Amino acid sequence: MTRRAERRPEATPSPRALDDVLLDLKLSVPQQHPGLVSRAELTDTARDSGARAVGVTAPAGYGKSTLLVEWARREQRRTGWISLDPLDDDPGTLLFLLASAYERAMPEQAGLAGALRGLGTAALARGAPYVASALSQAPVPFVLLVDDLHELRTPACHDVLAVVLAAIAPGSQVVTASRHEQPHLPLLRAAGDALEITTDDLTLDSRDAARIFSAAHVDLTPEQAGAVTERTEGWPVGLRLAAMIAREGHTEDWELTGEDPFVADYLHLAVFRGLDPTVREFLRRTAILDRLHGPLCDAVLQEPGSTSLLRQLEASHAFLSPLDRRREWYRHHTLFRDFLLAELRRTEPELIEKLHLRAADWFEAHSSPGMAVEHLLATSQRHRCAQLVAGLALKTYGEGQIAVLRRWLSALGDAAIEAYPPLAVLAGRMAAVEGETTEARRWAAVADASSFDLTPADGTASLASSRAMLRALLCEDGAAQMLSDAEVAAEAEPLWSPWRGTALWLLAEAQLLVGAPDRAASSFEEATALGLAAGNTETVVLSEASLALAAMETGRWDDAATHVRLAQRTIEEHRLADYAISLLAGAAAARLALHRADLVEADRQLVRAMRCRPSSSFALPYLAARGRLHLAKVYWARGDRASTRHLLREIDDVLRHRPDLGTLVDEVAEFRALTTTATTATTGAVPHEAPLTPAELRLLPYLQTHLKIAEIADRLRISRNTVATEVSAIYRKLGVSSRSEAVQQATVLGLLGG
């Protein structure tokens, strides 16, 4: 077999968006190799065990994926499949994939996955119980098979998985395959809800060896079968490789000797050496790809013919598997790919970066810039990668994918971000909306100290404009300076700029603080229009919330309702409910419901808004203070004095760090005076427990897990004593005495779940 057999250009991917194609591959059961030893007995035992979780744990080469594929092909229940890779190492992404696989198993449950996009920091608090609830109410039994769980290294991924698994109803199962110990299994095992398939179960015997050699058309005597099984210690992939070596030996009198290259760790080397040099080159150089596709391989190798060669390799090479029925996409066996990458590093290290760059070029040209970023991160071209990330930032954040941005920035590293100042501005913005004040200020300082004369890749008019927006966003130097910075940005950003809406929203916020509400309303209205046109969801939510509250102040309740609807719809569509930017919209919705005397809806909106507080810090002081002020007003009207006083204390903390917030300071003082002079007797107020603090809200989701106090402390990077104190406070405020009761009560109150 030679690569030069075909030279004609090949087709590009189908009209479907490439990212959709890649997602489809992850959710499709791979094709089954013929001639493999059946694991039906193992899968039948696991299926009949009734265990809600089945863990298949063994090193590479023991047939874990093969077992899962055979299980999927033989399963009579509804079946969903997920093939994980390193890009899925994020709790929100994992939940989205679990929901997507479940939807494929249960088409009548469509819509679950869409609700999981853009969870950000709310994966454990909101996403995990939401998915768990959906799976617990499945109309018929199902099985979800999750391959390559070892690709998930983030503890938060295993936290959300444990919550979902705990809700699986009898008759349904989740099967996970991993090279490493699976963190969710021990507690489920103790409860009798887990079954494990390990290396000992997957090891083959001499009868299996005989079947493998027979499938390879190699005769094997019982003695030879025993010898080869002993030498490979029953390692399935070792037996397959041995059969291939024997087949290629072209001898009827093949036998295993000490002189054969038959050390298990190097069997694949013997196979590789038996291939045509051009095929070896193809395999070695395409190993940088997670998935192989003819046109993509052509681009990486700068030579046509890959589609034909992939199909030939599939037919003759046991370590290449098709991923779709049309045989357009393939993958290497994990073990063999590891070897190929090692060979590439050993023989052609100077070529690795070029190969990744070609892959990045192809993905970018085929409208998959996110995949281009992943390949660029494997190169030294940090500047190009930084530019691409900057260009993707607004869209990625607007879709609620802040976790993706966070991972990219972390992978790029501080030096690369500092070297591209527009990205430093974006890092500062992201830190601010997550409530990370120190980080936001650090990146703002980097941006202020930088020079940059080119046009930024993020779509802003200039570095001067973008850092003026960041300064206005942080409002460190008071309302007057915020107004000045916002005016600079609004003047600089042209009508077609995707950031002009942001500049106008900041201008409107500053105008409110300096006492110009009419001018602010005009700026908010223009910001909304521009935000809708540019897909700048943040601007739409914030501007509409402010317009709603302004309409309420003048008694225009119909107008207020229109603004609230648009803000809330945008939040729901883009899964922004737990972001700091949604605090003000929640307060406006609660106030509108109270005006309509819909107390149930008012309380629901209050809970939703209060959940935003952990990320709403003095990094965005005017939003943190104004949002809490309007929430306090609604709580006061509801007779909840404890929540009112607590929110005023949180506002005091914001003002302590940012005292110059203009007219907002006066508004707070006026409301405080009202609460001070009023008495419980005259208002008919009833006692209430203080609400959960932002710190307690951050901890609350971990009570769903089986993590111990010390483990929760490690997750949150706080002391064990602090966790214990906050847990006690949560129990007291919720009126419960155990974790399970706290979770149940928090779910009823809307503090956990969708």
Side-chain angles (χ1 to χ4, degrees):
M1 181 190 309
T2 65
R3 178 165 171 74
R4 298 182 179 87
E6 182 178 331
R7 293 285 185 178
R8 70 176 188 273
E10 293 164 347
T12 56
S14 64
R16 282 191 302 164
L18 182 58
D19 288 344
D20 291 340
V21 173
L22 296 176
L23 175 61
D24 182 63
L25 295 175
K26 295 172 71 67
L27 300 174
S28 300
V29 180
Q31 300 298 301
Q32 192 169 16
H33 271 301
L36 297 180
V37 173
S38 173
R39 299 307 183 104
E41 185 175 348
L42 281 175
T43 59
D44 288 347
T45 299
R47 185 179 60 246
D48 296 340
S49 69
R52 70 178 72 180
V54 177
V56 186
T57 309
Y62 273 87
K64 301 182 295 297
S65 298
T66 301
L67 183 149
L68 261 64
V69 170
E70 183 178 17
W71 187 326
R73 298 294 178 190
R74 298 180 67 247
E75 181 59 63
Q76 298 300 309
R77 291 171 294 180
R78 304 278 193 94
T79 303
W81 176 278
I82 306 171
S83 295
L84 295 171
D85 61 44
L87 305 186
D88 303 322
D89 190 19
D90 171 80
T93 301
L94 174 61
L95 288 169
F96 172 72
L97 291 173
L98 287 169
S100 298
Y102 177 72
E103 280 187 4
R104 292 206 171 192
M106 304 280 182
E108 62 271 29
Q109 305 294 311
L112 177 65
L116 271 296
R117 286 190 179 276
L119 283 170
T121 58
L124 185 58
R126 224 71 59 225
Y130 185 69
V131 175
S133 176
L135 270 58
S136 70
Q137 300 175 50
V140 295
F142 66 90
V143 59
L144 296 183
L145 300 121
V146 184
D147 199 13
D148 294 326
L149 190 71
H150 52 265
E151 299 289 6
L152 305 182
R153 295 174 173 82
T154 303
C157 288
H158 296 285
D159 293 343
V160 300
L161 181 61
V163 172
V164 172
L165 288 175
I168 300 299
S172 296
Q173 292 176 303
V174 175
V175 186
T176 52
S178 175
R179 293 185 186 180
H180 311 308
E181 178 67 23
Q182 303 186 37
H184 63 273
L185 290 178
L187 282 167
L188 289 171
R189 182 196 308 137
D193 280 335
L195 182 143
E196 295 177 82
I197 298 173
T198 65
T199 303
D200 291 342
D201 301 306
L202 296 171
T203 298
L204 301 181
D205 58 24
S206 58
R207 290 174 299 175
D208 298 321
R211 284 194 287 270
I212 289 173
F213 275 69
S214 176
H217 307 293
V218 176
D219 293 330
L220 197 67
T221 67
E223 292 77 13
Q224 288 173 328
V228 74
T229 303
E230 182 179 1
R231 180 66 67 87
T232 61
E233 299 180 353
W235 188 36
V237 76
L239 289 168
R240 290 168 59 197
L241 286 163
M244 294 175 65
I245 293 170
R247 183 184 63 197
E248 296 300 322
H250 303 296
T251 171
E252 296 180 1
D253 192 27
W254 179 84
E255 63 179 291
L256 187 66
T257 71
E259 299 170 353
D260 289 319
F262 201 76
V263 179
D265 290 343
Y266 300 100
L267 284 176
H268 47 308
L269 183 59
V271 173
F272 191 67
R273 283 177 175 168
L275 298 173
D276 183 274
T278 56
V279 176
R280 291 204 303 266
E281 179 183 284
F282 173 87
L283 292 171
R284 186 173 61 240
R285 293 181 178 181
T286 58
I288 64 143
L289 301 170
D290 293 318
R291 298 172 185 84
L292 309 178
H293 177 57
L296 171 58
C297 293
D298 286 348
V300 168
L301 301 175
Q302 294 189 331
E303 185 176 358
S306 297
T307 296
S308 175
L309 183 55
L310 285 168
R311 288 172 180 166
Q312 293 177 57
L313 284 169
E314 179 202 346
S316 63
H317 178 48
F319 300 99
L320 190 71
S321 301
L323 295 175
D324 60 337
R325 294 180 181 275
R326 292 178 293 181
R327 283 168 161 71
E328 293 180 349
W329 291 85
Y330 299 81
R331 70 170 179 88
H332 289 300
H333 183 285
T334 303
L335 188 72
F336 195 60
R337 186 188 178 204
D338 291 344
F339 159 71
L340 292 172
L341 287 170
E343 279 291 289
L344 182 62
R345 288 191 292 268
R346 183 179 68 83
T347 60
E348 299 179 295
E350 75 288 348
L351 192 59
I352 295 175
E353 177 154 330
K354 294 179 182 177
L355 297 173
H356 278 293
L357 288 173
R358 293 169 189 168
D361 290 341
W362 188 87
F363 279 111
E364 192 171 2
H366 289 81
S367 302
S368 185
M371 286 300 299
V373 167
E374 304 297 343
H375 280 282
L376 287 174
L377 287 171
T379 75
S380 62
Q381 290 203 8
R382 286 296 193 258
H383 184 73
R384 176 184 169 190
C385 190
Q387 285 182 298
L388 193 53
V389 170
L392 289 169
L394 182 62
K395 178 177 183 292
T396 306
Y397 174 78
E399 293 175 349
Q401 299 292 319
I402 199 167
V404 174
L405 272 178
R406 190 189 304 118
R407 179 171 61 80
W408 284 343
L409 292 175
S410 176
L412 273 170
D414 286 2
I417 298 172
E418 291 170 7
Y420 190 67
L423 195 55
V425 174
L426 291 167
R429 285 179 54 83
M430 193 175 77
V433 299
E434 291 190 288
E436 297 176 1
T437 310
T438 301
E439 278 294 283
R441 295 179 68 186
R442 179 170 75 88
W443 286 119
V446 168
D448 281 340
S450 302
S451 60
F452 187 80
D453 297 328
L454 302 175
T455 301
D458 63 2
T460 53
S462 65
L463 176 63
S465 176
S466 62
R467 65 188 174 193
M469 280 189 271
L470 180 56
R471 285 195 300 269
L473 191 75
L474 299 179
C475 192
E476 286 193 82
D477 298 316
Q481 185 59 49
M482 180 185 181
L483 179 63
S484 178
D485 289 326
E487 287 174 340
V488 168
E491 179 68 25
E493 296 298 322
L495 285 173
W496 56 86
S497 167
W499 292 95
R500 179 166 174 77
T502 299
L504 288 171
W505 162 67
L506 287 166
L507 179 62
E509 290 288 351
Q511 288 165 338
L512 275 184
L513 296 182
V514 299
D518 292 339
R519 290 167 56 200
S522 177
S523 298
F524 279 133
E525 289 170 357
E526 188 178 353
T528 289
L530 291 169
L532 289 171
N536 191 335
T537 54
E538 173 186 82
T539 296
V540 174
V541 171
L542 291 166
S543 297
E544 289 300 291
S546 293
L547 287 168
L549 290 167
M552 293 175 193
E553 292 298 325
T554 55
R556 294 178 290 112
W557 291 98
D558 288 344
D559 289 345
T562 300
H563 293 304
V564 167
R565 279 196 298 272
L566 178 53
Q568 295 288 71
R569 186 171 70 245
T570 305
I571 289 170
E572 294 301 322
E573 288 178 356
H574 298 278
R575 316 312 303 168
L576 302 171
D578 291 274
Y579 285 63
I581 64 170
S582 298
L583 175 62
L584 201 61
R591 187 171 171 185
L592 177 65
L594 186 64
H595 172 75
R596 292 172 169 174
D598 187 346
L599 301 185
V600 172
E601 176 64 10
D603 289 343
R604 187 178 79 88
Q605 292 295 345
L606 283 171
V607 169
R608 286 167 60 89
M610 292 288 276
R611 292 189 325 208
C612 301
R613 285 155 50 243
S615 57
S616 181
S617 72
F618 67 89
L620 303 174
Y622 40 90
L623 291 182
R626 184 179 291 122
R628 284 169 168 84
L629 175 60
H630 284 285
L631 286 175
K633 289 179 177 180
V634 178
Y635 275 116
W636 181 259
R638 295 286 289 120
D640 186 343
R641 302 303 187 247
S643 295
T644 302
R645 288 192 294 269
H646 185 86
L647 285 165
L648 283 171
R649 286 194 293 272
E650 290 187 6
I651 294 172
D652 288 341
D653 185 63
V654 173
L655 294 177
R656 189 160 40 249
H657 290 90
R658 297 287 184 271
D660 185 7
L661 292 184
T663 58
L664 186 53
V665 176
D666 298 331
E667 291 179 45
V668 172
E670 289 173 9
F671 180 68
R672 190 190 308 278
L674 170 66
T675 64
T676 302
T677 57
T679 64
T680 300
T682 58
T683 59
V686 295
H688 286 272
E689 181 63 75
L692 298 188
T693 67
E696 291 158 3
L697 285 170
R698 276 190 289 268
L699 187 149
L700 179 64
Y702 290 95
L703 299 184
Q704 303 172 99
T705 72
H706 295 288
L707 295 173
K708 298 176 181 177
I709 294 292
E711 293 170 320
I712 295 175
D714 184 59
R715 292 284 199 278
L716 294 173
R717 299 180 182 178
I718 56 179
S719 72
R720 186 185 185 283
N721 287 340
T722 299
V723 172
T725 299
E726 291 178 357
V727 169
S728 296
I730 290 171
Y731 287 1
R732 185 186 73 253
K733 292 177 180 180
L734 296 182
V736 300
S737 58
S738 69
R739 288 176 72 157
S740 60
E741 290 176 351
V743 170
Q744 182 178 12
Q745 180 67 0
T747 302
V748 170
L749 294 174
L751 297 174
L752 292 175

